[in-house]
Amino acid sequence: MASAKKYSAAAVLAAWLIIVAFFMVLNRALDLEVFFVLSLIGLLVVAVLIDGAFSRPRYMRYIGYLIAAGVALFAYIVVEKILEILAA
């Protein structure tokens, strides 16, 4: 049961990333920062949906590490954009 949930979560996340990339190419606005933020949002949604209420699978710990790294990178992007605005 848990492995089916894990694989369906990976498929949903992959579909989300393909949709985001498709619309970015369609809009001719390829921006790695926007893609990263939208993929982090997708990962957070998937992580909340697959997290069990009473048991926590081992792979959720690794997803937690990935989310922590993503949030740190997101904070770096935000600080970089703030400094860019202040420098102008």
Side-chain angles (χ1 to χ4, degrees):
M1 177 69 182
S3 64
K5 190 186 270 191
K6 182 171 52 173
Y7 292 129
S8 64
V12 167
L13 185 61
W16 168 252
L17 294 177
I18 289 170
I19 290 169
V20 167
F22 174 74
F23 280 111
M24 287 180 77
V25 168
L26 191 66
N27 198 22
R28 294 187 184 122
L30 296 175
D31 189 9
L32 188 59
E33 293 170 346
V34 173
F35 183 77
F36 170 75
V37 169
L38 290 175
S39 64
L40 182 62
I41 290 170
L43 179 65
L44 289 170
V45 168
V46 167
V48 167
L49 290 177
I50 65 173
D51 194 17
F54 301 109
S55 65
R56 190 171 178 106
R58 189 178 340 152
Y59 62 85
M60 283 304 294
R61 180 176 31 179
Y62 300 124
I63 290 177
Y65 294 149
L66 185 64
I67 289 171
V71 168
L73 191 58
F74 176 73
Y76 173 76
I77 290 171
V78 168
V79 167
E80 185 179 278
K81 289 296 181 183
I82 289 172
L83 291 176
E84 184 179 307
I85 290 169
L86 290 176

